[in-house]
């Protein structure tokens, strides 16, 4: 259980309303990328949302660090990953903190910057795997670009996320519309 991880919300500091859902996209892409490793166990975002709802919160609401630690503990993880997105001089910066769930202590922090969100997530994912103690060989084992596992089109991914939210809310018709839109934006996006 050493490398069990809950990927929680990434705050968009440049757009607190996160109108483009970039914070959500980063968290979901990291979950997808980290889950591809056989050496890291990642709790699904749906499981975390279910736990938030059981605690009386809203699944899509931003939660504070104390609540995040409580949710990660309840999910049975040893570590959680939170972070933020900001922009500086036209470049995006993603920072991530790995937190020990039992103590609440930050055990590591990583930062990547660039203009391609998907490439940044790929880089960050490898750094996180190294930070949690994986060897270089294990950190790179089975790693494929997240854009190949999902899509390289942020609008398509955003439509997919909206569809998943509607799906989990049991609003099948609206979910179907969002999924159709994602496929129209990227016909190779099968997720």
């Amino acid at each position: 259980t050493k490398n069990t991880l809950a990927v929680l919300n990434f705050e968009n500091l440049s757009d607190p309303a996160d109108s483009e859902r970039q914070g959500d996209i980063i968290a979901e892409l990291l979950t997808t990328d980290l889950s591809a490793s056989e050496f890291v166990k990642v709790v699904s975002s749906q499981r975390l949302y279910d736990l938030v709802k059981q605690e009386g919160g809203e699944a899509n609401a931003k939660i504070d660090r104390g609540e995040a630690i409580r949710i990660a503990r309840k999910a049975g993880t040893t570590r959680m990953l939170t972070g933020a997105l900001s922009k500086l001089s036209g470049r995006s910066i993603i920072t991530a903190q790995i937190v020990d769930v039992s103590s609440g202590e930050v055990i590591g922090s990583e930062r990547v910057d660039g203009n391609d969100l998907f490439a940044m997530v790929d880089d960050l994912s490898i750094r996180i795997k190294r930070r949690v103690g994986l060897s270089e060989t294990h950190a790179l084992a089975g790693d494929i670009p997240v854009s190949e596992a999902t899509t390289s089109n942020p609008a398509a991914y955003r439509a997919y996320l909206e569809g998943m939210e509607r799906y989990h809310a049991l609003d099948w018709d609206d979910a179907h519309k969002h999924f159709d839109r994602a496929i129209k934006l990227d016909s190779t996006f099968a997720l």
Side-chain angles (χ1 to χ4, degrees):
T1 61
K2 180 180 177 186
N3 286 324
T4 54
L5 188 65
V7 180
L8 295 159
N9 58 307
F10 273 65
E11 186 178 1
N12 188 337
L13 300 175
S14 298
D15 177 12
D18 203 14
S19 57
E20 295 293 314
R21 302 196 61 176
Q22 290 185 316
D24 294 336
I25 290 171
I26 292 167
E28 288 298 320
L29 288 174
L30 277 169
T31 298
T32 299
D33 208 18
L34 292 167
S35 296
S37 172
E38 66 180 279
F39 304 104
V40 179
K41 292 188 183 224
V42 182
V43 175
S44 74
S45 58
Q46 186 54 47
R47 174 72 178 130
L48 296 173
Y49 292 147
D50 289 346
L51 291 171
V52 168
K53 286 194 281 188
Q54 286 175 11
E55 296 280 318
E58 289 186 41
N60 296 326
K62 301 299 180 209
I63 56 177
D64 66 28
R65 181 171 293 239
E67 186 179 359
I69 289 172
R70 218 173 27 260
I71 296 300
R73 274 190 199 129
K74 198 167 184 178
T77 66
T78 56
R79 297 175 177 153
M80 70 177 196
L81 182 68
T82 63
L85 168 70
S86 58
K87 299 208 185 249
L88 181 65
S89 302
R91 292 180 66 81
S92 295
I93 301 166
I94 303 173
T95 56
Q97 293 183 333
I98 303 164
V99 178
D100 180 278
V101 172
S102 63
S103 68
E105 177 183 330
V106 175
I107 58 174
S109 182
E110 292 294 336
R111 177 185 184 268
V112 295
D113 65 279
N115 292 318
D116 181 344
L117 193 64
F118 294 87
M120 293 168 65
V121 166
D122 287 331
D123 185 15
L124 186 58
S125 177
I126 291 169
R127 290 174 185 229
I128 290 166
K129 287 185 256 183
R130 288 181 191 136
R131 181 64 75 162
V132 298
L134 297 186
S135 68
E136 188 70 17
T137 304
H138 287 163
L140 297 173
D143 193 60
I144 62 168
V146 73
S147 62
E148 287 181 24
T150 60
T151 179
S152 60
N153 184 325
Y157 202 87
R158 200 168 17 263
Y160 163 75
L161 286 180
E162 290 165 1
M164 289 304 294
E165 284 175 7
R166 303 313 322 142
Y167 174 82
H168 291 298
L170 307 178
D171 185 352
W172 314 118
D173 291 335
D174 201 27
H176 194 269
K177 289 175 189 174
H178 287 292
F179 294 145
D180 282 345
R181 183 168 179 264
I183 292 170
K184 284 179 186 171
L185 291 167
D186 180 354
S187 64
T188 66
F189 185 24
L191 187 61

